[in-house]
Every structure is written in C-alpha cells, then in structure tokens.
Amino acid sequence: MVIIMRKLLTVSLFALLAGVAQADELKPARHGDFAHYTFALAWLPGFCTAGGEGCLPSQPKEELIGLHGLWASEPKSLEDQGVKVQQWWASGCSMLPHVTAVPLLSEELRQRLKETMPQLASDLQTHEYVKHAQCFGYDANEFFSTALQLREAVVDSDFGRYLSAQAGQTRTGAEVKDAFTKGYATGERGALQLRCAKDAKGRNVLTELWFTLKKDKLDRFPEVDSFMDTPAAEREDTCSQPFLLPKW
C-alpha cells in the first residue's frame, strides 16, 4: 500500500508540474479567423531604460524577463477588406466591434502582473487588454493567466536560464537565436524576433523577445510544434548589431 501511494503521489506531482510548464488553451469567442499569435516578453532592465516613456520608479526589479503581451495576428475578415497588417498593429481591437472596458482582474493576478509587466504611466495591463484581447471575447483573467503561464514556461526553460545567465553581457542576435533553437530543439529559427534600442547611455540594449506561435498550439508551448516562422511581412527584428543584455 505504501509503495502504491508513493507511485500515485509521484504521478500526481508530475502532472502538477506538467500543468505549470504549459499554458491553458485560449479560444477566441469571436473574430477567431486569425493565423497566429505574437507572444512578447520584455527584457525588463533594457525595456525600462531604453526609448519610450520608461518605467515608473516603483518598477519591481526582481525579474529580468517580463511579460509584455499576447497579440493575435490580423483577422482574415480584415485582410479581405484590404486592411494592411501595419494598420492592424496600430489600431488593434478598435477596428472591430468592441466595448472598451478596464479589465476586472483578481487581486492575485493583478499582483503577479505588477511583478512581471513593465510598470508604465499609461497602464500597460489595461492597454494590452483593450487593444489586443477584448474584441476577441477573451475573459481578462483567462487571457492574462495564459500569458503568464507562457512566460513561466520560458523562464523555466533552458533558453530562459540561458538568457538570465547573460545579464550584463554583450551578445549577437545569432548567438541568442542559436540558444533558442538549441533550447527548444526547433528548426523554426525565424519564430524568434529580437528587439533592441538605445538606452540613456547610448548603448544598444535588448528590450524585447517576440515569439510567433500557432494559434491552436498555445497549450503545447514551448513544445517544438507550437512555434512557426514569422511571416516575412511581419518581421520586426531590430537587433542586427551586438547588444547588451543589461542587468538591474
């Protein structure tokens, strides 16, 4: 009996850990005729110090890899109307019937987002939901919970550990993409885009990592079949020169 209980406990623990490692399935209630997601992570020490408005002084500094967003690609219904993808990127959900509303999140989820998302004066959490999620009918808690699960899957992976180990080092895009393809055993090198910008000291720093993911494979991320090559018209890789992965 003791042996059986130990085996059951081991199986249960494995299942629990497996659930943590992968995200929930996320199904749009409407406008689901899009092809893929862009999953955006922020390298927080770079994101918060380069370009844009910068992060608030209260930005938590325990995490290196933060959550930026989870963005559906342009719905086919808009493509068929001749809407350019750049217009979709700029306008998002405002191009579709929607109700603009501040997401109502659980206190636990709000706290976790505060720890992992860049804290901007413009309230990134609300912006991400209003622009990228609410027109698809996603429940705000499910949407952000899934995005956080995806982030944890990266942080807990070999690639995530590689990134964390590079804090304070200068690397090339090729080196980081080599680590990406090795870490996830994927041939879809083009599934990862790197974003760089100049910080206040004029250094070229990593600010973001964008992953192109199959729409119906979020719950399998980061398994090899969840990645897809970024369409040529959507490539926004800006790290052609060596860059610093700054640390806090």
Side-chain angles (χ1 to χ4, degrees), residues 1-60:
M1 178 63 72
V2 172
I3 293 175
I4 293 174
M5 290 299 293
R6 285 178 178 172
K7 287 184 177 180
L8 288 174
L9 181 59
T10 300
V11 171
S12 297
L13 181 58
F14 179 81
L16 177 61
L17 291 175
V20 171
Q22 292 180 310
D24 294 330
E25 188 175 12
L26 191 63
K27 290 186 175 182
R30 50 187 179 269
H31 308 303
D33 56 338
F34 58 90
H36 57 271
Y37 288 101
T38 297
F39 174 52
L41 293 177
W43 182 261
L44 287 170
F47 187 97
C48 287
T49 58
E53 58 185 296
C55 296
L56 297 174
S58 59
Q59 171 71 41

Side-chain angles (χ1 to χ4, degrees), residues 13 57 135 170:
L13 181 58
C135 60
T170 297

Side-chain angles (χ1 to χ4, degrees), residues 22-28 32-38 70 72-73 138 146 150 212-221 223-228:
Q22 292 180 310
D24 294 330
E25 188 175 12
L26 191 63
K27 290 186 175 182
D33 56 338
F34 58 90
H36 57 271
Y37 288 101
T38 297
L70 182 61
S73 61
Y138 298 126
T146 297
L150 293 171
T212 303
L213 306 179
K214 296 175 183 176
K215 180 180 71 172
D216 59 347
K217 300 291 185 180
L218 287 188
D219 59 337
R220 297 181 64 84
F221 180 81
E223 293 182 15
V224 64
D225 64 345
S226 64
F227 297 103
M228 63 172 279

